[in-house]
Amino acid sequence: MDLQKLTIGQMAELNHVSQQTLRLYDREGLLKPLLTDRNTGYRYYHIIQSARLDFIQNMKLYGMTLREIRSLLENSDPESIKMTLESQIEKITDKIQQLQRSKTAIVRTIENYKKYEATPKNGEIFLEFMPQRKIFRYSCDINYFDQNEGGYEYMLRQLKKHMTLSNIPISYFTNTGTIIRKKDLLAGNMYSNEVFLFMDDWEDDERIETLPAATYVCLCSGDFSEEEDNVRRLVDYVYEHGFGIAGDYLCEVMVDFPILDSSARNICYKTQIPIENFGKY
């Protein structure tokens, strides 16, 4: 083997890459054979070109495109390489954060399916302790209880748009719901113009509202039309058992089965009211 006159097959074998890869790098102007035989027209690589090939492969591992690598090779100097790598670190860090948020959303969805399987159904009221939670909410221009399912979808579209404007990753658009504020709940007003989503792993800022840990009176259902009656049932249960209403009412969508019917949501939601004086009586 002539190390100063390597065929494409020999160059590929020495560097553990395919011949197709070398042809691609040739076409893209990244790594062209160094020598050409004047008599035959055959082109050959020199063993020293392996260093350039190593550089290309490393940059690919760092997540750079072939176009970015070519630009770097054409304008290469230590400072530009350092700056490019620093920029790539920032891109990779952002990607890791996006993937982590996607993972968190998937984990939450799986947990919700498990909770759905274990949660009492058929209109049974039950008590559940819930740890501190964080929500991102948006006030809409309509009252949920004056609408049908289409109104709820409209509220969700407003929430989703506001997320984009607030630079909230769309991966959080799971586990949504509506709110009735405590003052309206105490007054018997069926008024809810706020939609929310959970963001438990988000750092605190002015956009995030914290729900304190509490025991909740809960009821699950899969029928939008039953919610108003479910709210009143929960309120009656609270008073009948000598509890007090400690905070806002939440209707949390636990699981969503849109694939079962393309014309409507198939969901299970959990209505919940935090209570006080629990354990006193």
Side-chain angles (χ1 to χ4, degrees), residues 2-6 32-38 41-47 49:
D2 186 349
L3 297 181
Q4 299 183 33
K5 198 176 182 181
L6 298 170
K32 293 183 175 296
L34 188 63
L35 307 171
T36 302
D37 189 307
R38 294 181 180 179
Y42 291 155
R43 300 187 302 161
Y44 299 93
Y45 293 90
H46 194 294
I47 188 66
Q49 291 184 278

PDB file of all heavy atoms in Angstrom, residues 2-6 32-38 41-47 49:
ATOM      1  N   ASP A   2       0.647   2.094  -0.986  1.00  0.00           N
ATOM      2  CA  ASP A   2       1.393   3.348  -1.084  1.00  0.00           C
ATOM      3  C   ASP A   2       0.635   4.414  -0.288  1.00  0.00           C
ATOM      4  O   ASP A   2      -0.415   4.895  -0.728  1.00  0.00           O
ATOM      5  CB  ASP A   2       1.531   3.755  -2.547  1.00  0.00           C
ATOM      6  CG  ASP A   2       2.418   4.982  -2.730  1.00  0.00           C
ATOM      7  OD1 ASP A   2       2.747   5.632  -1.710  1.00  0.00           O
ATOM      8  OD2 ASP A   2       2.764   5.298  -3.892  1.00  0.00           O
ATOM      9  N   LEU A   3       1.162   4.804   0.874  1.00  0.00           N
ATOM     10  CA  LEU A   3       0.457   5.754   1.740  1.00  0.00           C
ATOM     11  C   LEU A   3       0.340   7.137   1.131  1.00  0.00           C
ATOM     12  O   LEU A   3      -0.446   7.966   1.607  1.00  0.00           O
ATOM     13  CB  LEU A   3       1.158   5.838   3.095  1.00  0.00           C
ATOM     14  CG  LEU A   3       1.186   4.548   3.911  1.00  0.00           C
ATOM     15  CD1 LEU A   3       1.888   4.770   5.243  1.00  0.00           C
ATOM     16  CD2 LEU A   3      -0.220   3.993   4.130  1.00  0.00           C
ATOM     17  N   GLN A   4       1.136   7.416   0.106  1.00  0.00           N
ATOM     18  CA  GLN A   4       1.053   8.712  -0.570  1.00  0.00           C
ATOM     19  C   GLN A   4       0.136   8.655  -1.790  1.00  0.00           C
ATOM     20  O   GLN A   4      -0.050   9.662  -2.464  1.00  0.00           O
ATOM     21  CB  GLN A   4       2.452   9.170  -0.991  1.00  0.00           C
ATOM     22  CG  GLN A   4       3.415   9.349   0.170  1.00  0.00           C
ATOM     23  CD  GLN A   4       4.757   9.860  -0.265  1.00  0.00           C
ATOM     24  OE1 GLN A   4       4.852  10.631  -1.212  1.00  0.00           O
ATOM     25  NE2 GLN A   4       5.811   9.447   0.427  1.00  0.00           N
ATOM     26  N   LYS A   5      -0.420   7.464  -2.049  1.00  0.00           N
ATOM     27  CA  LYS A   5      -1.250   7.295  -3.241  1.00  0.00           C
ATOM     28  C   LYS A   5      -2.311   6.231  -2.944  1.00  0.00           C
ATOM     29  O   LYS A   5      -2.286   5.130  -3.460  1.00  0.00           O
ATOM     30  CB  LYS A   5      -0.378   6.881  -4.422  1.00  0.00           C
ATOM     31  CG  LYS A   5      -1.008   7.079  -5.787  1.00  0.00           C
ATOM     32  CD  LYS A   5       0.006   6.720  -6.880  1.00  0.00           C
ATOM     33  CE  LYS A   5      -0.587   6.946  -8.253  1.00  0.00           C
ATOM     34  NZ  LYS A   5       0.373   6.589  -9.337  1.00  0.00           N
ATOM     35  N   LEU A   6      -3.280   6.623  -2.086  1.00  0.00           N
ATOM     36  CA  LEU A   6      -4.303   5.695  -1.625  1.00  0.00           C
ATOM     37  C   LEU A   6      -5.531   5.742  -2.527  1.00  0.00           C
ATOM     38  O   LEU A   6      -6.021   6.826  -2.868  1.00  0.00           O
ATOM     39  CB  LEU A   6      -4.725   6.028  -0.193  1.00  0.00           C
ATOM     40  CG  LEU A   6      -3.640   5.920   0.887  1.00  0.00           C
ATOM     41  CD1 LEU A   6      -4.154   6.517   2.196  1.00  0.00           C
ATOM     42  CD2 LEU A   6      -3.205   4.470   1.080  1.00  0.00           C
ATOM     43  N   LYS A  32     -11.243  16.469  -1.146  1.00  0.00           N
ATOM     44  CA  LYS A  32     -11.026  15.961  -2.489  1.00  0.00           C
ATOM     45  C   LYS A  32      -9.694  15.219  -2.546  1.00  0.00           C
ATOM     46  O   LYS A  32      -8.748  15.577  -1.834  1.00  0.00           O
ATOM     47  CB  LYS A  32     -11.009  17.111  -3.498  1.00  0.00           C
ATOM     48  CG  LYS A  32     -12.362  17.803  -3.664  1.00  0.00           C
ATOM     49  CD  LYS A  32     -12.299  18.883  -4.725  1.00  0.00           C
ATOM     50  CE  LYS A  32     -13.681  19.482  -4.965  1.00  0.00           C
ATOM     51  NZ  LYS A  32     -14.630  18.470  -5.512  1.00  0.00           N
ATOM     52  N   PRO A  33      -9.599  14.159  -3.371  1.00  0.00           N
ATOM     53  CA  PRO A  33      -8.315  13.450  -3.510  1.00  0.00           C
ATOM     54  C   PRO A  33      -7.205  14.429  -3.879  1.00  0.00           C
ATOM     55  O   PRO A  33      -7.404  15.354  -4.671  1.00  0.00           O
ATOM     56  CB  PRO A  33      -8.591  12.456  -4.637  1.00  0.00           C
ATOM     57  CG  PRO A  33     -10.075  12.228  -4.573  1.00  0.00           C
ATOM     58  CD  PRO A  33     -10.661  13.547  -4.172  1.00  0.00           C
ATOM     59  N   LEU A  34      -6.058  14.230  -3.253  1.00  0.00           N
ATOM     60  CA  LEU A  34      -4.956  15.178  -3.402  1.00  0.00           C
ATOM     61  C   LEU A  34      -4.208  15.016  -4.722  1.00  0.00           C
ATOM     62  O   LEU A  34      -3.703  15.990  -5.289  1.00  0.00           O
ATOM     63  CB  LEU A  34      -3.981  15.005  -2.229  1.00  0.00           C
ATOM     64  CG  LEU A  34      -2.861  16.028  -2.097  1.00  0.00           C
ATOM     65  CD1 LEU A  34      -3.434  17.414  -1.858  1.00  0.00           C
ATOM     66  CD2 LEU A  34      -1.931  15.637  -0.951  1.00  0.00           C
ATOM     67  N   LEU A  35      -4.138  13.787  -5.250  1.00  0.00           N
ATOM     68  CA  LEU A  35      -3.308  13.498  -6.423  1.00  0.00           C
ATOM     69  C   LEU A  35      -4.153  12.975  -7.585  1.00  0.00           C
ATOM     70  O   LEU A  35      -5.151  12.271  -7.361  1.00  0.00           O
ATOM     71  CB  LEU A  35      -2.239  12.461  -6.070  1.00  0.00           C
ATOM     72  CG  LEU A  35      -1.357  12.786  -4.850  1.00  0.00           C
ATOM     73  CD1 LEU A  35      -0.507  11.573  -4.493  1.00  0.00           C
ATOM     74  CD2 LEU A  35      -0.479  13.999  -5.149  1.00  0.00           C
ATOM     75  N   THR A  36      -3.727  13.310  -8.794  1.00  0.00           N
ATOM     76  CA  THR A  36      -4.374  12.793  -9.996  1.00  0.00           C
ATOM     77  C   THR A  36      -3.302  12.229 -10.930  1.00  0.00           C
ATOM     78  O   THR A  36      -2.325  12.906 -11.251  1.00  0.00           O
ATOM     79  CB  THR A  36      -5.162  13.890 -10.731  1.00  0.00           C
ATOM     80  OG1 THR A  36      -6.145  14.442  -9.849  1.00  0.00           O
ATOM     81  CG2 THR A  36      -5.847  13.318 -11.967  1.00  0.00           C
ATOM     82  N   ASP A  37      -3.487  10.999 -11.364  1.00  0.00           N
ATOM     83  CA  ASP A  37      -2.552  10.358 -12.300  1.00  0.00           C
ATOM     84  C   ASP A  37      -2.790  10.937 -13.692  1.00  0.00           C
ATOM     85  O   ASP A  37      -3.885  10.801 -14.254  1.00  0.00           O
ATOM     86  CB  ASP A  37      -2.776   8.847 -12.303  1.00  0.00           C
ATOM     87  CG  ASP A  37      -1.693   8.103 -13.073  1.00  0.00           C
ATOM     88  OD1 ASP A  37      -1.442   8.451 -14.242  1.00  0.00           O
ATOM     89  OD2 ASP A  37      -1.104   7.184 -12.489  1.00  0.00           O
ATOM     90  N   ARG A  38      -1.774  11.589 -14.257  1.00  0.00           N
ATOM     91  CA  ARG A  38      -1.930  12.245 -15.548  1.00  0.00           C
ATOM     92  C   ARG A  38      -2.237  11.248 -16.659  1.00  0.00           C
ATOM     93  O   ARG A  38      -2.903  11.593 -17.642  1.00  0.00           O
ATOM     94  CB  ARG A  38      -0.667  13.017 -15.890  1.00  0.00           C
ATOM     95  CG  ARG A  38      -0.391  14.181 -14.959  1.00  0.00           C
ATOM     96  CD  ARG A  38       0.878  14.912 -15.380  1.00  0.00           C
ATOM     97  NE  ARG A  38       1.154  16.044 -14.496  1.00  0.00           N
ATOM     98  CZ  ARG A  38       2.215  16.837 -14.648  1.00  0.00           C
ATOM     99  NH1 ARG A  38       3.114  16.599 -15.614  1.00  0.00           N
ATOM    100  NH2 ARG A  38       2.396  17.848 -13.811  1.00  0.00           N
ATOM    101  N   GLY A  41      -5.907   9.377 -15.200  1.00  0.00           N
ATOM    102  CA  GLY A  41      -6.974  10.224 -14.688  1.00  0.00           C
ATOM    103  C   GLY A  41      -7.493   9.777 -13.336  1.00  0.00           C
ATOM    104  O   GLY A  41      -8.385  10.418 -12.758  1.00  0.00           O
ATOM    105  N   TYR A  42      -6.939   8.686 -12.825  1.00  0.00           N
ATOM    106  CA  TYR A  42      -7.360   8.222 -11.511  1.00  0.00           C
ATOM    107  C   TYR A  42      -6.889   9.206 -10.443  1.00  0.00           C
ATOM    108  O   TYR A  42      -5.818   9.789 -10.535  1.00  0.00           O
ATOM    109  CB  TYR A  42      -6.784   6.843 -11.217  1.00  0.00           C
ATOM    110  CG  TYR A  42      -7.373   5.734 -12.067  1.00  0.00           C
ATOM    111  CD1 TYR A  42      -6.646   4.567 -12.314  1.00  0.00           C
ATOM    112  CD2 TYR A  42      -8.645   5.833 -12.609  1.00  0.00           C
ATOM    113  CE1 TYR A  42      -7.182   3.541 -13.097  1.00  0.00           C
ATOM    114  CE2 TYR A  42      -9.189   4.826 -13.384  1.00  0.00           C
ATOM    115  CZ  TYR A  42      -8.455   3.683 -13.629  1.00  0.00           C
ATOM    116  OH  TYR A  42      -8.977   2.686 -14.392  1.00  0.00           O
ATOM    117  N   ARG A  43      -7.734   9.350  -9.414  1.00  0.00           N
ATOM    118  CA  ARG A  43      -7.390  10.259  -8.316  1.00  0.00           C
ATOM    119  C   ARG A  43      -7.080   9.447  -7.062  1.00  0.00           C
ATOM    120  O   ARG A  43      -7.694   8.411  -6.810  1.00  0.00           O
ATOM    121  CB  ARG A  43      -8.539  11.229  -8.061  1.00  0.00           C
ATOM    122  CG  ARG A  43      -8.869  12.090  -9.284  1.00  0.00           C
ATOM    123  CD  ARG A  43      -9.892  13.170  -8.942  1.00  0.00           C
ATOM    124  NE  ARG A  43     -11.131  12.592  -8.425  1.00  0.00           N
ATOM    125  CZ  ARG A  43     -12.028  13.295  -7.716  1.00  0.00           C
ATOM    126  NH1 ARG A  43     -11.809  14.562  -7.436  1.00  0.00           N
ATOM    127  NH2 ARG A  43     -13.131  12.704  -7.299  1.00  0.00           N
ATOM    128  N   TYR A  44      -6.147   9.985  -6.291  1.00  0.00           N
ATOM    129  CA  TYR A  44      -5.687   9.267  -5.099  1.00  0.00           C
ATOM    130  C   TYR A  44      -5.619  10.219  -3.902  1.00  0.00           C
ATOM    131  O   TYR A  44      -5.362  11.418  -4.038  1.00  0.00           O
ATOM    132  CB  TYR A  44      -4.310   8.656  -5.336  1.00  0.00           C
ATOM    133  CG  TYR A  44      -4.273   7.652  -6.465  1.00  0.00           C
ATOM    134  CD1 TYR A  44      -3.943   8.055  -7.761  1.00  0.00           C
ATOM    135  CD2 TYR A  44      -4.564   6.310  -6.234  1.00  0.00           C
ATOM    136  CE1 TYR A  44      -3.918   7.132  -8.810  1.00  0.00           C
ATOM    137  CE2 TYR A  44      -4.533   5.383  -7.265  1.00  0.00           C
ATOM    138  CZ  TYR A  44      -4.219   5.811  -8.550  1.00  0.00           C
ATOM    139  OH  TYR A  44      -4.193   4.896  -9.583  1.00  0.00           O
ATOM    140  N   TYR A  45      -5.835   9.621  -2.733  1.00  0.00           N
ATOM    141  CA  TYR A  45      -5.695  10.347  -1.472  1.00  0.00           C
ATOM    142  C   TYR A  45      -4.288  10.160  -0.927  1.00  0.00           C
ATOM    143  O   TYR A  45      -3.627   9.150  -1.198  1.00  0.00           O
ATOM    144  CB  TYR A  45      -6.695   9.841  -0.436  1.00  0.00           C
ATOM    145  CG  TYR A  45      -8.128  10.131  -0.764  1.00  0.00           C
ATOM    146  CD1 TYR A  45      -8.885   9.226  -1.507  1.00  0.00           C
ATOM    147  CD2 TYR A  45      -8.734  11.302  -0.332  1.00  0.00           C
ATOM    148  CE1 TYR A  45     -10.223   9.485  -1.799  1.00  0.00           C
ATOM    149  CE2 TYR A  45     -10.073  11.576  -0.628  1.00  0.00           C
ATOM    150  CZ  TYR A  45     -10.810  10.662  -1.368  1.00  0.00           C
ATOM    151  OH  TYR A  45     -12.122  10.929  -1.666  1.00  0.00           O
ATOM    152  N   HIS A  46      -3.856  11.140  -0.132  1.00  0.00           N
ATOM    153  CA  HIS A  46      -2.596  11.037   0.609  1.00  0.00           C
ATOM    154  C   HIS A  46      -2.950  10.758   2.058  1.00  0.00           C
ATOM    155  O   HIS A  46      -3.945  11.265   2.593  1.00  0.00           O
ATOM    156  CB  HIS A  46      -1.806  12.352   0.494  1.00  0.00           C
ATOM    157  CG  HIS A  46      -0.372  12.241   0.920  1.00  0.00           C
ATOM    158  ND1 HIS A  46       0.004  11.980   2.220  1.00  0.00           N
ATOM    159  CD2 HIS A  46       0.789  12.374   0.212  1.00  0.00           C
ATOM    160  CE1 HIS A  46       1.315  11.947   2.305  1.00  0.00           C
ATOM    161  NE2 HIS A  46       1.825  12.184   1.087  1.00  0.00           N
ATOM    162  N   ILE A  47      -2.150   9.942   2.721  1.00  0.00           N
ATOM    163  CA  ILE A  47      -2.420   9.567   4.101  1.00  0.00           C
ATOM    164  C   ILE A  47      -2.565  10.777   5.009  1.00  0.00           C
ATOM    165  O   ILE A  47      -3.346  10.761   5.978  1.00  0.00           O
ATOM    166  CB  ILE A  47      -1.302   8.634   4.633  1.00  0.00           C
ATOM    167  CG1 ILE A  47      -1.690   8.078   6.029  1.00  0.00           C
ATOM    168  CG2 ILE A  47       0.032   9.357   4.695  1.00  0.00           C
ATOM    169  CD1 ILE A  47      -2.881   7.174   6.025  1.00  0.00           C
ATOM    170  N   GLN A  49      -4.154  13.382   4.495  1.00  0.00           N
ATOM    171  CA  GLN A  49      -5.514  13.917   4.426  1.00  0.00           C
ATOM    172  C   GLN A  49      -6.430  13.300   5.481  1.00  0.00           C
ATOM    173  O   GLN A  49      -7.542  13.779   5.696  1.00  0.00           O
ATOM    174  CB  GLN A  49      -6.096  13.688   3.028  1.00  0.00           C
ATOM    175  CG  GLN A  49      -5.446  14.527   1.929  1.00  0.00           C
ATOM    176  CD  GLN A  49      -6.137  14.333   0.599  1.00  0.00           C
ATOM    177  OE1 GLN A  49      -5.884  13.370  -0.122  1.00  0.00           O
ATOM    178  NE2 GLN A  49      -7.038  15.258   0.283  1.00  0.00           N
TER     179      GLN A  49
END
